[in-house]
Amino acid sequence: MAPTWQLSGDYFENCNCSVVCPCLVSKSAPLTSKPTEGVCDVALLFHIDKGSYESTALDGLNVALAVHTPGPMADGNWSVAAYIDERANEKQTEALGAIFTGAVGGPMAHFAPLIAKTIGVKKVPISYGIKGKTRSAEIPGVLHMSVDPLPTAHPSGEMWANVGHPVSPDKLALAVGAPGNTFTDHGMHWDNSGKNGHYAPISWSSTS
């Protein structure tokens, strides 16, 4: 039988597209539009507030994914580097690997067929912070990312859309990367400062 798991928490991403991401908001079908820079370099950061994989607790752990696509995301051929919280024990590491590769269903299973190469999996210190409407994450020597909501006249100070993004299909905030947003690893170096971002609460399970 398939394992039973669930998690809830928070996520954000920062890609190299100009605001707003044509993969999600365009005249073409989702993920079929060409990224504004021709390729997509995107970091996705996750914090689990509460979670379990069978009897293994996942509370408080963080995960990061760095994704490169050579063209429209729907064309596949993605290269992915994964980073798992160094605080995770062996069972937690296995559980996070299964969930975030999509091997046990859930939102990440939508992306699994598009991945051509896993270029690395590392256990590292990952910090994840929420301060007001700002999300930030840090992997020392590898990644520094922070996003803020796009400027808006709405009194809430945020713009939310239900664009169907698998990570959070019903609620996704439009955001922008802060100055100094960089990723350096596996021969890649990105600077996504001032580029497109998103953030949202997440609620995943083996049945959704």
Side-chain angles (χ1 to χ4, degrees):
M1 291 184 62
T4 300
W5 61 271
Q6 62 79 33
L7 64 82
S8 60
D10 197 79
Y11 124 96
F12 76 92
E13 66 178 79
N14 181 210
C15 73
N16 64 323
C17 277
S18 299
V19 176
V20 170
C21 179
C23 293
L24 299 174
V25 184
S26 73
K27 295 182 290 185
S28 302
L31 303 186
T32 62
S33 291
K34 186 178 180 180
T36 66
E37 310 307 306
V39 303
C40 180
D41 293 321
V42 58
L44 300 97
L45 300 310
F46 303 89
H47 172 71
I48 300 170
D49 286 322
K50 292 281 187 180
S52 62
Y53 183 92
E54 296 288 357
S55 60
T56 299
L58 304 175
D59 301 6
L61 296 175
N62 301 314
V63 174
L65 301 174
V67 180
H68 170 78
T69 77
M73 299 189 87
D75 290 353
N77 205 25
W78 295 17
S79 298
V80 179
Y83 301 87
I84 294 176
D85 199 317
E86 68 175 5
R87 297 172 298 158
N89 62 31
E90 184 176 348
K91 285 189 175 181
Q92 290 170 325
T93 300
E94 291 176 0
L96 293 172
I99 292 169
F100 283 89
T101 60
V104 288
M108 302 310 287
H110 293 277
F111 299 131
L114 302 172
I115 297 171
K117 181 165 58 173
T118 299
I119 55 178
V121 179
K122 297 180 180 181
K123 291 190 71 174
V124 294
I126 307 174
S127 62
Y128 190 106
I130 302 175
K131 186 175 181 180
K133 295 179 173 63
T134 299
R135 269 68 171 174
S136 62
E138 183 94 27
I139 300 174
V142 174
L143 175 147
H144 172 83
M145 293 282 167
S146 179
V147 299
D148 297 291
L150 283 182
T152 175
H154 194 278
S156 70
E158 296 172 299
M159 288 187 282
W160 292 89
N162 58 343
V163 296
H165 192 309
V167 170
S168 181
D170 296 323
K171 185 179 183 182
L172 191 73
L174 306 185
V176 60
N181 276 14
T182 58
F183 168 81
T184 303
D185 204 7
H186 301 290
M188 297 183 288
H189 176 74
W190 315 337
D191 187 334
N192 289 352
S193 305
K195 296 302 185 80
N196 180 72
H198 301 294
Y199 60 85
I202 56 173
S203 182
W204 299 357
S205 76
S206 51
T207 59
S208 63

